Amino acid sequence: MVPISYNLRNIAVRRTTTVATAGGVALVVFVFASVLMLGEGIRKTLVSAGSPDVAIVMRAGSDAELGSSVLPAGASLATSQKEVARRPGGAPDATADLVVVIALDKIGTDGGVSNVLLRGVTQDAYAFHKDVRIVEGRAPAPGADEAIVGKAIRGRFVGLELGQSIELRKGRSVRVVGVFEAGGSSYESEVWGDLDTFRNAFGRGSLASSVRVRLTSPGAFESYRLAIEADRQQELKAQRETDFLEKQGQSSALLLQALGLVIAIFFSVGAMIGAMITMYAAVASRGREIATLRALGFSKFSILLSFLFESVVLALLGGALGTAAALAMGFVRF
């Protein structure tokens, strides 16, 4: 067998070949791993906002809160069931939310605009969502034109900084009076304000997008669901909050992963072709070395294994570099 030290010295001496081959493999690994990480991160972020003993009630046929509308009678039906836990004093442990989106200008981009999720809530929401905590400023006053922003989007859009204002519609703005965190969940990418303020601003009357209720136990969900969906007049559906949020994250994660897989496949083909050309060139340029090795008594098979060993080392080196670069993406915040 050709000594391994011979191959390792060749890799070290031929720096250009080493960098080109390992770099191509590293790029493929980096893209593929980063996309998988991003998809899994989206799913975990959404699911972390849910709880197994919480049910979410929306309009039947709605896949998301944005497309749902619940009438006051439906909200009353959702909160009056015997499976709903009660707070001290007898009030149902529940919250009704209105979810809408507005377009805001990004900060640090050339006129970029993106949608931001607004959630209209009552004062009950702050007690219901146990992970939500005001970290700076205060909560909006009931009925006031005030809002709080999640720490994940604070300062990333025009108006989303403490003391600034965002325009809901022409002539109607809300002032940011606080910043909140929610245990790293998707709520930290939202703007929260008073339910009635948002209803009036967007002409939603007395509608809510969804109603969340805390059940007496996770096992009470099935009987609760049957009771809600048995009322044909309201046409509502109930889901476990964890299941609902996982479905929301799955579509986004699958889309990102599918796009990333396609890109990674094209990059992989390019990297393999590049590595093949590089190794063919290495063999062609090392004719004298091969002849010398043959003269020294090494078999064709041993020389072939020697070149394959170099290829494997370069691939492992590129894979390690790509993985390290993908892990570093964990420190990047968008």
Side-chain angles (χ1 to χ4, degrees), residues 112-324:
V113 176
S114 183
N115 288 334
V116 174
L117 202 69
L118 305 186
R119 185 177 297 272
V121 299
T122 63
Q123 294 299 304
D124 293 335
Y126 300 103
F128 184 87
H129 297 286
K130 303 184 185 303
D131 289 337
V132 173
R133 184 170 65 91
I134 305 295
V135 294
E136 192 172 345
R138 59 176 176 83
D145 290 345
E146 298 175 341
I148 54 176
V149 300
K151 70 175 187 179
I153 59 170
R154 177 187 183 180
R156 292 177 53 191
F157 294 85
V158 174
L160 296 190
E161 186 56 83
L162 200 63
Q164 296 179 348
S165 296
I166 56 174
E167 188 175 59
L168 303 181
R169 60 178 174 82
K170 191 171 182 179
R172 187 67 181 271
S173 301
V174 291
R175 187 168 65 91
V176 177
V177 297
V179 179
F180 71 94
E181 65 179 12
S185 70
S186 58
Y187 291 133
E188 292 184 359
S189 296
E190 298 178 355
V191 176
W192 287 20
D194 180 71
L195 175 60
D196 290 328
T197 298
F198 283 5
R199 279 173 172 171
N200 294 334
F202 295 100
R204 298 300 177 90
S206 57
L207 295 176
S209 298
S210 64
V211 178
R212 281 176 170 79
V213 299
R214 194 174 308 281
L215 304 176
T216 53
S217 70
F221 170 75
E222 192 58 29
S223 60
Y224 177 78
R225 182 187 67 81
L226 292 173
I228 294 299
E229 296 179 1
D231 192 319
R232 301 296 183 184
Q233 185 176 1
Q234 296 302 322
E235 295 185 344
L236 301 174
K237 68 174 180 180
Q239 303 175 71
R240 289 188 189 274
E241 188 182 38
T242 49
D243 294 341
F244 167 73
L245 293 174
E246 187 167 10
K247 289 178 184 176
Q248 298 296 298
Q250 252 179 358
S251 57
S252 299
L254 286 175
L255 176 62
L256 284 171
Q257 289 173 354
L259 290 174
L261 182 60
V262 171
I263 295 172
I265 288 174
F266 281 112
F267 276 31
S268 298
V269 172
M272 286 188 293
I273 293 174
M276 181 179 66
I277 293 172
T278 300
M279 296 311 297
Y280 269 122
V283 172
S285 64
R286 292 161 64 180
R288 289 185 180 181
E289 291 183 31
I290 296 172
T292 302
L293 291 171
R294 290 287 290 143
L296 292 173
F298 292 104
S299 66
K300 293 180 180 179
F301 183 70
S302 296
I303 297 172
L304 174 62
L305 287 180
S306 175
F307 278 91
L308 287 176
F309 175 76
E310 288 186 26
S311 301
V312 171
V313 171
L314 289 173
L316 291 176
L317 179 61
L321 290 173
T323 302

Side-chain angles (χ1 to χ4, degrees), residues 4-40:
I4 293 177
S5 58
Y6 164 77
N7 302 114
L8 297 179
R9 284 198 302 271
N10 274 326
I11 292 173
V13 169
R14 293 174 170 82
R15 295 186 180 88
T16 303
T17 301
T18 300
V19 171
T21 305
V25 175
L27 185 59
V28 174
V29 173
F30 169 72
V31 171
F32 189 59
S34 296
V35 170
L36 290 178
M37 290 169 58
L38 183 58
E40 184 65 14

